[in-house]
Amino acid sequence: MDENNLILPNHLAIILDGNGRWAKKRNMPRSYGHIVGTDNLEKMCDVIADMGIKYLTVYAFSTENWKRAQDEVALLMNLFRKYLKRCEKKAVRNHMRVRIIGDPTALAPDLQEEIHYLEEMSSGYDQMYFQIAINYGGRDEIERAVTKLADDARKGVLPEGRVTGETFEKYLDTAGIPDPDLLIRTSGEQRISNFLLWQLAYTEFYFTDTAWPDFHKEDLIKAIEAYDHRNRRFGNA
Ligand code: IPE
Ligand code: IPE
Ligand code: MG
């Protein structure tokens, strides 16, 4: 199939999973899987930009991932530090606006500063929109949104009456970003793991056994081919 004839998802979301198992299979520590997984994210970001996909959202660290061993959490935070720095160049290359979704307040102050800097320096780009979920949980996002919404209701900022989905979405981390059309989860698991609970209402799901460090352009094309053959419905007949 010619990749140029594929119908692309406007918004692609990916649960980057399987780094640990990928490394274990090679008798390497989990950290090695995270390093190769991060390098792969950098490469795939360019591939996805070059294909012309407008929105990309990746799940890098969940609100539940803090429960992992301390040294693994520390390594992941250090990788984010380096990755976000390198992401500045990607933003320029791909004319890409980068935003972090999730609750940054639990992150180290220097990491929060780096996030702030990256978001600011890329805020004028509009060729592609890249969201990275760090300390993100769908339930946590909804809790934070409802808290802000209740605050505004108390202040009298909200119109009275029923809160609509349209109003509610403005309080989510993804405000202004269209819902994902296709969600890919690598490495065999078939669950959402607290990702984008509100936004995935009508998203097509694609699961593959390939682990994230091994997920390359040809695997992405396979996923998009499968998506291309889906008969998308939104409750209509
Ligand atoms: C994904 O790989 C990266 C993160 C969740 C941070 P995992 O670390 O979950 O790898 P597996 O699922 O244990 O193989
Ligand atoms: C989901 O992967 C979170 C990320 C990829 C960041 P996990 O590996 O943490 O999810 P579970 O524990 O298998 O559900
Ligand atoms: Mg996992």
Side-chain angles (χ1 to χ4, degrees):
M1 153 94 63
D2 179 358
E3 67 168 276
N4 297 316
N5 293 330
L6 282 176
I7 294 175
L8 299 173
N10 180 49
H11 184 170
L12 170 66
I14 311 178
I15 300 178
L16 314 168
D17 198 18
N19 292 349
R21 279 165 284 170
W22 180 89
K24 198 168 173 222
K25 245 183 155 171
R26 285 157 182 78
N27 291 316
M28 296 294 280
R30 293 177 61 82
S31 55
Y32 178 64
H34 293 315
I35 292 165
V36 179
T38 311
D39 288 346
N40 192 44
L41 178 59
E42 257 192 80
K43 283 184 206 131
M44 287 304 286
C45 190
D46 288 350
V47 165
I48 290 163
D50 293 345
M51 280 173 97
I53 292 175
K54 202 85 193 152
Y55 292 86
L56 170 66
T57 303
V58 299
Y59 202 7
F61 192 88
S62 75
T63 45
E64 287 69 34
N65 287 147
W66 297 105
K67 292 182 209 148
R68 294 189 177 195
Q70 257 183 26
D71 59 346
E72 181 170 348
V73 171
L75 174 111
L76 284 166
M77 292 298 148
N78 275 330
L79 279 177
F80 294 146
R81 257 183 203 98
K82 288 183 205 149
Y83 175 79
L84 294 176
K85 201 96 218 101
R86 294 201 301 255
C87 210
E88 291 167 25
K89 286 192 199 83
K90 297 286 163 197
V92 177
R93 177 194 186 271
N94 299 327
H95 296 269
M96 176 173 90
R97 179 170 181 182
V98 187
R99 278 171 285 195
I100 306 309
I101 59 168
D103 180 3
T105 60
L107 304 175
D110 71 305
L111 203 49
Q112 291 187 43
E113 271 168 40
E114 177 55 39
I115 288 170
H116 183 70
Y117 180 78
L118 180 60
E119 289 185 336
E120 282 291 307
M121 67 77 67
S122 67
S123 64
Y125 292 127
D126 61 0
Q127 199 152 307
M128 184 183 172
Y129 299 93
F130 182 33
Q131 291 67 236
I132 312 169
I134 301 180
N135 191 27
Y136 175 89
R139 288 181 173 176
D140 180 68
E141 179 189 34
I142 291 170
E143 283 170 19
R144 287 183 289 106
V146 171
T147 305
K148 277 186 266 169
L149 193 143
D151 270 356
D152 279 356
R154 259 193 305 273
K155 288 183 208 145
V157 178
L158 279 180
E160 281 193 23
R162 194 189 151 111
V163 175
T164 62
E166 205 187 326
T167 301
F168 177 67
E169 281 177 349
K170 295 194 177 116
Y171 290 86
L172 292 173
D173 298 346
T174 52
I177 295 168
D179 290 340
D181 300 286
L182 172 63
L183 170 78
I184 298 174
R185 181 165 185 156
T186 57
S187 208
E189 307 302 335
Q190 303 196 358
R191 55 176 169 265
I192 301 186
S193 298
N194 206 9
F195 195 36
L196 303 175
L197 296 181
W198 171 275
Q199 298 87 339
L200 294 174
Y202 271 98
T203 303
E204 297 290 332
F205 287 12
Y206 179 88
F207 300 106
T208 171
D209 288 335
T210 305
W212 173 250
D214 276 341
F215 190 89
H216 306 307
K217 184 174 180 181
E218 48 293 4
D219 305 284
L220 176 64
I221 289 173
K222 254 193 240 162
I224 295 176
E225 272 170 11
Y227 167 80
D228 193 9
H229 287 100
R230 301 269 175 96
N231 178 13
R232 287 205 80 189
R233 291 194 181 190
F234 299 87
N236 53 319

